[in-house]
Amino acid sequence: MSVQSVLSLIKEKNIEWVDFRFVGLSGKAQHISLPASEVEEETFENGVAFDGSSIPGFRGIEESDMVMMPDTETAFVDPFTAHPTLVIMCNIHTPDGERYDRDPRSIAQKAEEYLQKTGIGTTAFFAPESEFFIFDDVRFESGMNKSYFEVDSEEAAWNSGRKEEGGNLGFKVPVKGGYVPVAPMDSQQDIRSEMCRLLAETGLRIERHHHEVATAGQAEINFRFDTLTKTADNLLKYKYIVHNTARQYGKVATFMPKPLFGDNGSGMHVHQSIFNDGAPLFYEKGGYANLSEMALNYIGGILYHAPALIALTNPSTNSFKRLVPGYEAPVNLVFSKGNRSAAVRIPIAAVTPKGCRIEFRTPDSTANPYLAFAAMLLAGLDGIQKKIDPRALGYGPFDKNIYEMSDAEKNEIRSVPGTLDEALDALEVDSEFLTQGGVFSQDFISNYIEYKRAEAKSVSIRIHPHEYGLYFDC
């Protein structure tokens, strides 16, 4: 969409405000709104100024001036604002016009540029399956003398005996019993359908939605794959619409990986493939799961670099509450066709040559998608360039349930890091693959590690309620 097309859209839709958005280190969208009457061609040439020192992990106060440069291809009309508002995603530049090397969106674009420079392919496609919970009530507090959280859902298994005004209507979703039941067990069909309607209105192609495995309102909506940066843009739009639609229904949605103890958490399985001028490069009939050697090498790169990669794809302390055996959690660094206990799965049902892809199941939605997708692509490209064979390194294929293997067999399988600090340790040791082509700068990686270590420490020093049960009577 050209600048003139955006300006015409503003007039056609009687837009009152233009919302310029960018993404910080955490992956959360930030925004500044300008009156539509103040938005002109020069706005797109000169950008919108903001204070970078107020964004965690960005700039010091002595160099705080930064500029949002709008990407007109991302424009969509906000479906929630009372005053007609047009949303536009932006890249971040320094005042002298240079791309800011800590801007996640620019890093994603540089990863796509690097792919083309390698000559391996022209386009990388990504498709995340981002799961979430819809709760009716959320309460939490962490203070000097108290620390707790409490969530509730009318669907939750723990409410089977609750007395409610008018009576308890039953049909509670059992623990680990929520995968695709019909109504009345699935009480959230309409809210998910409304989310899909709004997503489609804002440009996403919806493939399906359904209730997920966990009790208490776990859900999943799948939207169509796209190129790396566009998919990251779409994921931010997806989360924005899910959050705000839930709020309109008097509920609250969360993409937190493990909001409940004792049931499945929410992942973000990421499907990915590489094409060259429209031709799929991951398909070869007759190979394992019809994968080409290039695809196998890509898997090799993902699994080889996984401990470091997980610092970007699972970047929260809560991520590692999900990454434990027994809840379909992909903690085993192996690959397999159709096996959901493997970190890398190759979908084989109803797959065409163009649909041939690999699925990295470990990530979750606390990841900044621009950074996570870029890092996955770079790990895979490193595997292709170095011809890393996952079979030779003992990464599989494993086509049986790993959780049912003997302890001796399991000991031969590498697992994901057990904590965020362990993943950050791995990233400190193994980061060279991220700096290829200047995609990630070493300054960015060092700053990111420092930022995340501070986050992990803020959790580790706090008193956990469970510790009272363990130690209060000592």
Side-chain angles (χ1 to χ4, degrees):
M1 187 182 293
S2 67
V3 171
Q4 283 303 322
S5 296
V6 171
L7 296 175
S8 297
L9 183 63
I10 290 172
K11 291 181 180 178
E12 176 190 336
K13 299 291 185 180
N14 296 314
I15 297 296
E16 296 178 19
W17 295 91
V18 180
D19 201 48
F20 295 98
R21 297 185 182 181
F22 67 95
V23 178
L25 205 59
S26 68
K28 298 171 185 175
Q30 315 281 325
H31 72 136
I32 294 176
S33 299
L34 272 61
S37 58
E38 298 297 317
V39 176
E40 304 171 336
E41 282 192 49
E42 289 76 12
T43 309
F44 296 89
E45 295 171 3
N46 300 326
V48 178
F50 73 100
D51 176 9
S53 67
S54 295
I55 306 300
F58 263 25
R59 305 270 274 194
I61 197 168
E62 74 284 356
E63 49 178 5
S64 60
D65 286 353
M66 308 208 73
V67 181
M68 286 187 279
M69 296 301 298
D71 182 345
T72 57
E73 294 296 325
T74 65
F76 70 93
V77 178
D78 192 315
F80 300 106
T81 52
H83 296 269
T85 301
L86 189 71
V87 177
I88 302 178
M89 288 298 300
C90 303
N91 289 346
I92 302 172
H93 286 211
T94 60
D96 58 8
E98 296 295 320
R99 285 200 294 197
Y100 183 44
D101 70 357
R102 292 186 186 178
D103 172 27
R105 195 167 189 272
S106 292
I107 288 172
Q109 292 170 334
K110 286 190 282 188
E112 293 184 287
E113 293 163 7
Y114 175 64
L115 167 63
Q116 295 183 357
K117 288 177 184 175
T118 64
I120 290 170
T122 55
T123 313
F125 289 109
F126 284 77
E129 297 178 9
S130 184
E131 299 165 334
F132 57 95
F133 280 84
I134 301 172
F135 294 131
D136 296 312
D137 189 55
V138 176
R139 304 167 191 269
F140 58 92
E141 186 172 349
S142 180
M144 178 181 289
N145 69 320
K146 67 176 72 172
S147 179
Y148 77 95
F149 77 89
E150 183 177 355
V151 300
D152 207 0
S153 165
E154 63 181 1
E155 285 193 359
W158 60 79
N159 281 326
S160 62
R162 184 174 68 176
K163 291 183 179 180
E164 301 178 47
E165 185 178 351
N168 192 320
L169 300 179
F171 290 102
K172 306 306 180 189
V173 175
V175 173
K176 295 176 74 69
Y179 186 66
V180 298
V182 298
M185 186 75 78
D186 177 6
S187 67
Q188 298 178 344
Q189 171 78 14
D190 285 341
I191 187 172
R192 294 195 308 271
S193 293
E194 177 65 5
M195 290 169 177
C196 291
R197 183 185 71 80
L198 295 174
L199 287 164
E201 276 188 6
T202 56
L204 271 67
R205 181 174 167 182
I206 302 303
E207 296 185 329
R208 60 181 178 174
H209 73 75
H210 59 86
H211 203 290
E212 259 297 348
V213 173
T215 189
Q218 191 181 34
E220 181 179 315
I221 297 172
N222 299 144
F223 57 87
R224 186 77 166 177
F225 66 85
D226 211 322
T227 53
L228 191 157
T229 304
K230 287 182 179 178
T231 299
D233 289 339
N234 286 340
L235 187 58
L236 257 67
K237 186 189 298 183
Y238 169 78
K239 293 174 80 170
Y240 177 73
I241 287 175
V242 166
H243 280 138
N244 284 282
T245 305
R247 193 174 184 87
Q248 286 187 332
Y249 275 72
K251 297 180 184 290
V252 58
T254 179
F255 291 86
M256 187 176 177
K258 194 74 170 181
L260 301 177
F261 175 70
D263 208 340
N264 284 32
S266 293
M268 184 178 70
H269 311 149
V270 183
H271 298 254
Q272 45 206 289
S273 61
I274 297 177
F275 279 56
N276 189 49
D277 292 329
L281 300 180
F282 278 11
Y283 179 80
E284 184 177 300
K285 188 171 179 59
Y288 177 79
N290 289 325
L291 288 180
S292 66
E293 283 298 311
M294 178 184 288
L296 288 166
N297 292 154
Y298 189 98
I299 290 170
I302 292 281
L303 293 174
Y304 179 82
H305 294 295
L309 194 57
I310 284 167
L312 292 153
T313 62
N314 302 76
S316 69
T317 57
N318 188 252
S319 297
F320 298 87
K321 304 293 195 304
R322 166 181 169 257
L323 293 178
V324 295
Y327 297 93
E328 291 190 18
V331 298
N332 302 295
L333 295 179
V334 297
F335 73 100
S336 173
K337 56 183 179 183
N339 190 338
R340 284 171 165 79
S341 64
V344 174
R345 185 178 78 97
I346 301 94
I348 55 174
V351 171
T352 64
K354 286 193 173 183
C356 187
R357 61 199 185 277
I358 71 105
E359 175 193 4
F360 187 33
R361 294 176 59 81
T362 305
D364 65 59
S365 293
T366 58
N368 182 322
Y370 300 95
L371 303 178
F373 297 166
M376 283 184 262
L377 178 61
L378 290 167
L381 291 177
D382 192 59
I384 292 170
Q385 290 167 322
K386 294 178 179 175
K387 298 188 182 303
I388 298 175
D389 186 342
R391 298 160 296 190
L393 295 177
Y395 298 147
F398 283 82
D399 291 327
K400 60 181 178 178
N401 190 333
I402 297 171
Y403 299 135
E404 295 178 355
M405 293 169 62
S406 69
D407 289 341
E409 289 174 306
K410 288 179 184 177
N411 288 337
E412 299 300 315
I413 299 174
R414 279 200 319 163
S415 295
V416 299
T419 65
L420 178 56
D421 273 321
E422 287 179 19
L424 293 169
D425 289 343
L427 180 59
E428 280 186 321
V429 173
D430 180 24
S431 63
E432 186 178 350
F433 73 99
L434 295 172
T435 61
Q436 297 302 307
V439 178
F440 287 80
S441 68
Q442 196 57 56
D443 170 74
F444 174 90
I445 295 168
S446 298
N447 176 66
Y448 178 85
I449 291 172
E450 181 182 356
Y451 174 78
K452 284 294 175 180
R453 284 208 191 280
E455 192 176 285
K457 184 178 180 181
S458 73
V459 174
S460 67
I461 63 175
R462 279 168 169 74
I463 300 162
H464 192 285
H466 191 55
E467 291 176 302
Y468 270 76
L470 293 173
Y471 311 123
F472 189 73
D473 62 348
C474 64

